[in-house]
Amino acid sequence: MNLPVRTKNAMLLGNGLIAHIRTVQEYRKKHGKVPQRPYLTYTQLVEQTGAKLAMVGIGNPLDEVMTAIHAPDVPDKLRGLTLFVTDKSGTIAYGTGKHDWRGINAKNAPQYRAAVLEQDWTDVGFVSIDQPV
């Protein structure tokens, strides 16, 4: 399943999150539990993906990822993908700022995360429809 996003940075961040989820799934398969810290920080995600953006600008590409995973034809299990990236303190400020959390909040986030870890991500990837960064 190709998930279209507008920019190359959004594609890099989205695919970086998918790669991270696969790593967490492999760890869980091998050890019977998820790692103690199954989340990436924004800095780690940007560094691992090679996205070209200032850290203060990560919200817009992540919004593109959020829009793509909430498209009507996308399986519900993909909806919590962006819950695996946090600020350096390890927290997520649900519903704050100008970002649309699409009904995800601190109370239902664990169910979204569990669904993401149950998803087979083998044939899922983000594609940029606007290649220039």
Side-chain angles (χ1 to χ4, degrees), residues 2-132:
N2 287 333
L3 301 168
V5 289
R6 189 177 54 80
T7 65
K8 184 176 178 184
N9 280 332
M11 177 188 75
L12 291 171
L13 295 176
N15 287 333
L17 281 169
I18 290 173
H20 175 69
I21 295 303
R22 288 182 183 139
T23 301
V24 172
Q25 288 173 326
E26 283 299 315
Y27 183 96
R28 184 175 71 173
K29 185 177 178 181
K30 185 176 181 179
H31 300 283
K33 60 182 180 176
V34 297
Q36 184 174 354
R37 177 141 168 81
Y39 317 112
L40 291 174
T41 64
Y42 297 125
T43 302
Q44 289 170 322
L45 179 61
V46 170
E47 288 174 352
Q48 289 179 17
T49 61
K52 307 270 190 273
L53 51 90
M55 291 313 299
V56 295
I58 196 168
N60 292 334
L62 285 177
D63 281 349
E64 290 182 52
V65 169
M66 185 74 93
T67 298
I69 60 178
H70 283 85
D73 58 337
V74 174
D76 287 345
K77 286 186 175 186
L78 277 62
R79 308 260 191 258
L81 179 63
T82 58
L83 297 175
F84 284 85
V85 62
T86 68
D87 67 14
K88 64 184 175 185
S89 72
T91 61
I92 296 176
Y94 302 98
T96 62
K98 63 181 176 105
H99 307 292
D100 182 359
W101 282 90
R102 302 177 190 263
I104 298 173
N105 56 47
K107 190 172 186 174
N108 62 18
Q111 292 96 328
Y112 280 97
R113 284 188 185 106
V116 165
L117 292 175
E118 295 304 318
Q119 171 67 31
D120 177 2
W121 292 90
T122 305
D123 295 321
V124 180
F126 289 87
V127 293
S128 172
I129 58 174
D130 178 28
Q131 285 299 320

